[in-house]
């Protein structure tokens, strides 16, 4: 049985379609939902965690429908939003006790002690949470999310704003939770983390799944080498003549990426083609494909924040 | 349900106690009103102005306390707590009930301080039954105001708007009520407003109790009002959260 399943899941905010006919099936795995800001990641999580209702379609978590049996769904999941909501004037232990009592755990004290130990917070458990580092706050939130031993955990940007060491630690915990049998649904826009830790990823753009599969499957859709070119000044598109077997992937900033089966042979061809259409090439590099390239290819041109769409912004704010 | 309410209230109480300035402010403010207005204001509408003004200060205290109920919910909403709580199997209404009860209970603590202080500086001592009824009226009125402000907070999206709302409501409501002066010395227009102001309603009921009567009708009306507003609040909350 799938832990999470959506069928044609759709959410409209007024005229804006935030999530558009999402079909995903997630088993006992670490699933990463990737996408640019405003692509519908958080909206998807809010629907799956019963915090908002969909416009169309259906979703189930642990076999329970999110609209028809919301209480059942809520008892088998945990949700950690990206805001880092912990009471800083309470100690770590007191924060945990609130959750243990709310979930109606038997012997809440023992459970809290156990989880604080697992999350390596025992020695700081009785300090006020405002003295905690970012990584400790995140681990405290993870510990809170575990008090009722959920089957599915939703983590919205769990490593946002943390330093490298703290990120590694969080992912190590996420990994071991999954090995104990929990399904982990995580949203992130750190590609390297998704590539390293997620069993499967879905790339979402404008509310639609643009790519879905294991990181290696997705990477194999690209050819074996990726060539990136830095261009000075304006970019003039190249004509595809003479670039047989070379595919344009996309750009981020002034870096333009191509993919080819044999990168060494493709390098001079690309350089010539670029020059002949009037580009000034600053540098070129060749490497193996990463999830970044898959992302670039499926999401397309990464738009810089340009033009503030006020209506869209306000609609997003209203979702809560 | 009850367990959830108690846990949420426990959380709010710890947070309040840890935030010492908050505790002091909540206790000092009504005392300052009582002393400055009750003793210093050079007015002589009635025999014992302190006895006259105390019900007004009591109701005003409950009003400012109750209005801040929405502020509590607003912060939980802005900081992401609300989303966490809503994703739990605890009945969702227990969040609302806990905020309203916490604020009303905290208001009752303030009330006690004012009543003690009032007696210390010369107000007439009432009998226990009268105090009981006064507490009941104030508690019900607190639920009414807290439910009202919580409803507004559910609708608004940022704390600045909420602060503007509460400032806009509190002061005009207080000054157009019968808190400071009896109806017969008010200008005509003010007296008209004061008669329909819900604040005067609670104030008059308390004065009635102090005079030795049992204002059954006002109490029933306040019960109905607070149930009604709480019903609306619950409805709005349910509608906006799934």
């Amino acid at each position: 049985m799938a832990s999470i399943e959506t069928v044609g899941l759709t959410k409209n905010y007024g005229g804006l379609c935030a999530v558009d006919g999402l079909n995903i099936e997630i088993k006992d795995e670490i699933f990463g939902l990737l996408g640019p800001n405003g692509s519908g990641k958080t909206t998807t999580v809010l629907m799956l965690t019963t915090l908002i209702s969909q416009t169309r379609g259906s979703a189930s978590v642990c076999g329970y429908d999110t609209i028809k049996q919301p209480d059942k769904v809520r008892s088998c999941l945990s949700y950690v939003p990206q805001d880092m909501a912990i009471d800083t004037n309470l100690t770590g232990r007191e924060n945990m006790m609130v959750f243990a009592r709310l979930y109606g755990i038997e012997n809440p004290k023992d459970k809290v002690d156990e989880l604080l130990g697992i999350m390596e917070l025992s020695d700081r458990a009785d300090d006020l949470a405002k003295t905690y580092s970012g990584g400790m706050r995140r681990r405290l939130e993870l510990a809170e999310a575990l008090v009722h031993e959920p089957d599915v955990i939703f983590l919205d940007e769990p490593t946002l704003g943390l330093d490298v060491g703290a990120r590694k630690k969080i992912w190590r915990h996420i990994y071991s939770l999954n090995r104990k049998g929990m399904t982990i649904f995580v949203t992130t826009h750190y590609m390297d983390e998704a590539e390293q830790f997620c069993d499967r990823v879905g790339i979402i753009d404008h509310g639609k799944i643009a790519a879905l599969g294991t990181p290696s499957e997705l990477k194999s859709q690209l050819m074996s080498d990726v060539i990136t070119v830095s261009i000075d000044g304006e970019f003039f598109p190249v004509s595809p003549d003479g670039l047989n077997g070379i595919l344009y992937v996309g750009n981020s900033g002034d870096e333009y990426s191509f993919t080819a089966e044999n990168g060494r042979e493709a390098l001079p061809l690309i350089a010539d083609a670029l020059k002949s259409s009037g580009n000034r090439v600053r540098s070129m590099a060749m490497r193996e494909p990463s999830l970044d390239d898959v992302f670039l290819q499926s999401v397309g041109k990464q738009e810089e924040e340009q033009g503030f769409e006020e209506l869209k912004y306000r609609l997003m704010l209203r979702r809560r | 349900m009850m367990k959830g309410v108690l846990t949420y209230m426990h959380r709010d109480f710890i947070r309040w106690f840890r935030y010492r300035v908050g505790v002091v402010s909540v206790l000092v403010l009504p005392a300052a009103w009582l002393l400055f207005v009750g003793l210093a204001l050079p007015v002589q509408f009635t025999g014992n102005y302190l006895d006259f003004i105390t019900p007004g200060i009591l109701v005003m205290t409950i009003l400012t306390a109750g209005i801040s109920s929405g502020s509590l919910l607003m912060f939980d909403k802005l900081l992401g707590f609300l989303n966490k709580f809503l994703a739990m199997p605890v009945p969702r209404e227990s969040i609302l009930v806990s905020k309203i009860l916490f604020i009303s209970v905290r208001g009752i603590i303030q009330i006690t301080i004012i009543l003690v202080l009032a007696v210390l500086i010369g107000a007439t001592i009432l009998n226990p039954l009268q105090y009981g009824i006064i507490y009941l009226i104030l508690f019900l009125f607190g639920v009414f105001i807290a439910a009202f402000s919580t409803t507004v907070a559910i609708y608004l999206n940022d704390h600045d708007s909420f602060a503007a709302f509460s400032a806009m409501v509190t002061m005009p409501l207080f000054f157009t009520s019968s808190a400071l002066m009896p109806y017969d010395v008010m200008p005509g227009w003010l007296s008209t407003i004061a008669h329909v102001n819900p604040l005067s309603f609670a104030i008059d009921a308390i004065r009635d109790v102090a005079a030795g009567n049992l204002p059954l009708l006002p109490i029933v009306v306040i019960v109905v009002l607070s149930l009604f507003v709480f019903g609306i609040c619950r409805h709005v909350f349910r509608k906006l959260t799934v």
Side-chain angles (χ1 to χ4, degrees), chain A residues 50-51 74-75 77 79 81 83 85-87 89-90 94 98-99 101-103 128 141 144 318 320, chain B residues 3-4 7-8 10-11 14-15 18 79-81 83-90 92 157 240-242:
Chain A
T50 75
L51 293 176
R74 285 175 209 142
S75 347
L77 67 75
Y79 170 47
D83 316 273
I86 55 167
D87 283 312
N89 266 337
L90 266 59
E94 285 168 338
V98 170
F99 280 76
R101 290 209 190 94
L102 285 175
Y103 278 113
L128 293 184
E141 284 201 292
E144 286 174 358
R318 296 221 82 170
R320 173 78 298 137
Chain B
K3 195 164 182 172
T7 310
Y8 286 130
H10 183 229
R11 165 176 176 255
I14 303 182
R15 293 203 306 179
R18 293 272 158 85
L79 298 179
F81 290 103
N83 268 354
K84 269 192 184 179
F85 294 149
L86 290 178
M88 290 187 176
V90 190
R92 292 181 163 189
N157 280 320
L240 287 190
T241 56
V242 171

Side-chain angles (χ1 to χ4, degrees), chain A:
Chain A
M1 187 192 71
S3 305
I4 303 170
E5 198 176 351
T6 72
V7 180
L9 193 66
T10 302
K11 178 71 186 178
N12 295 330
Y13 288 112
L16 178 85
C17 186
V19 174
D20 189 1
L22 203 65
N23 291 305
I24 40 177
E25 204 183 312
I26 296 163
K27 295 189 178 65
D28 173 19
E29 61 189 326
I30 303 180
F31 182 86
L33 191 63
L34 318 178
N37 291 332
S39 57
K41 288 178 303 211
T42 300
T43 307
T44 305
V45 172
L46 290 178
M47 282 191 280
L48 291 174
T49 50
T50 75
L51 293 176
I52 56 175
S53 56
Q54 63 263 34
T55 315
R56 270 192 309 282
S58 69
S60 69
V61 176
C62 307
Y64 302 115
D65 188 277
T66 52
I67 299 292
K68 289 176 200 137
Q69 296 161 295
D71 280 337
K72 289 259 172 61
V73 170
R74 285 175 209 142
S75 347
C76 76
L77 67 75
S78 262
Y79 170 47
V80 182
Q82 67 182 57
D83 316 273
M84 292 233 195
I86 55 167
D87 283 312
T88 48
N89 266 337
L90 266 59
T91 66
R93 193 187 303 278
E94 285 168 338
N95 267 289
M96 293 282 298
M97 284 304 283
V98 170
F99 280 76
R101 290 209 190 94
L102 285 175
Y103 278 113
I105 308 297
E106 282 173 44
N107 302 325
K109 287 207 174 72
D110 298 343
K111 188 75 200 168
V112 165
D113 276 339
E114 179 198 331
L115 287 169
L116 285 168
I118 292 177
M119 287 295 155
E120 305 162 76
L121 290 167
S122 297
D123 47 339
R124 296 287 304 277
D126 295 309
D127 294 345
L128 293 184
K130 64 179 159 200
T131 65
Y132 286 15
S133 68
M136 292 171 71
R137 289 177 191 205
R138 259 299 180 235
R139 295 208 304 278
L140 180 60
E141 284 201 292
L142 267 184
E144 286 174 358
L146 297 174
V147 285
H148 64 302
E149 297 170 5
D151 299 318
V152 181
I153 302 185
F154 290 87
L155 301 167
D156 203 352
E157 303 281 359
T159 55
L160 194 71
L162 299 186
D163 61 42
V164 180
R167 278 185 199 179
K168 279 215 175 110
K169 218 172 203 173
I170 294 288
W171 276 110
R172 219 178 58 224
H173 284 298
I174 293 176
Y175 182 81
S176 69
L177 290 175
N178 175 249
R179 291 303 162 252
K180 281 182 209 153
M182 279 179 210
T183 302
I184 318 274
F185 186 108
V186 35
T187 74
T188 180
H189 48 232
Y190 295 120
M191 295 299 143
D192 51 330
E193 295 183 354
E195 187 168 347
Q196 204 180 339
F197 298 102
C198 293
D199 296 316
R200 275 200 313 149
V201 298
I203 296 178
I204 185 170
D205 186 37
H206 292 104
K208 282 186 176 135
I209 289 285
L212 183 71
T214 67
S216 53
E217 272 168 22
L218 292 181
K219 282 190 290 183
S220 69
Q221 289 168 7
L222 290 165
M223 286 179 270
S224 47
D225 288 319
V226 165
I227 299 108
T228 56
V229 187
S230 301
I231 300 241
D232 277 330
E234 202 184 333
F235 174 71
F236 302 100
V238 284
S239 61
D241 310 337
L243 285 182
N244 281 333
I246 300 171
L247 213 66
Y248 175 62
V249 176
N251 76 310
S252 69
D254 60 355
E255 270 207 350
Y256 294 81
S257 306
F258 298 84
T259 175
E261 276 311 330
N262 188 332
R264 286 168 195 280
E265 286 173 14
L267 272 171
L269 293 177
I270 293 172
D272 287 347
L274 282 171
K275 260 185 218 153
S276 65
S277 54
N279 294 290
R280 282 193 301 161
V281 176
R282 194 192 322 138
S283 66
M284 297 182 85
M286 194 178 84
R287 53 180 170 76
E288 286 182 5
S290 69
L291 210 50
D292 263 321
D293 302 308
V294 178
F295 188 79
L296 202 57
Q297 196 186 28
S298 28
V299 170
K301 191 165 158 265
Q302 266 288 61
E303 282 162 43
E304 293 293 316
E305 315 275 309
Q306 45 156 305
F308 184 66
E309 297 174 66
E310 204 204 340
L311 176 69
K312 190 170 169 185
Y313 178 72
R314 292 204 348 228
L315 286 168
M316 305 267 303
L317 282 182
R318 296 221 82 170
R319 64 173 185 230
R320 173 78 298 137

Side-chain angles (χ1 to χ4, degrees), chain B residues 7-85:
Chain B
T7 310
Y8 286 130
M9 279 178 75
H10 183 229
R11 165 176 176 255
D12 277 329
F13 266 111
I14 303 182
R15 293 203 306 179
W16 178 51
F17 279 124
R18 293 272 158 85
Y19 176 55
R20 300 219 174 75
V21 184
V23 179
V24 173
S25 133
V26 154
L27 302 183
V28 163
L29 202 67
W33 268 91
L34 190 66
L35 291 176
F36 297 147
V37 180
L39 287 184
L41 220 62
V43 281
Q44 206 54 257
F45 299 130
T46 49
N48 185 344
Y49 189 58
L50 195 61
D51 276 347
F52 179 81
I53 191 78
T54 305
I57 303 291
L58 289 174
V59 172
M60 183 206 66
T61 304
I62 283 288
L63 172 71
T64 43
I67 286 286
S68 65
S69 166
S71 184
L72 278 181
L73 186 75
M74 180 63 80
F75 273 118
D76 272 359
K77 183 158 96 170
L78 292 180
L79 298 179
F81 290 103
L82 188 61
N83 268 354
K84 269 192 184 179
F85 294 149

Side-chain angles (χ1 to χ4, degrees), chain B residues 176-178 183 186 188 190-198 200-201 204:
Chain B
T176 59
S177 74
S178 59
Y183 294 108
M186 287 179 192
L190 184 60
S191 157
T192 315
I193 301 175
H195 272 290
V196 295
N197 185 332
S200 332
F201 210 76
D204 297 345

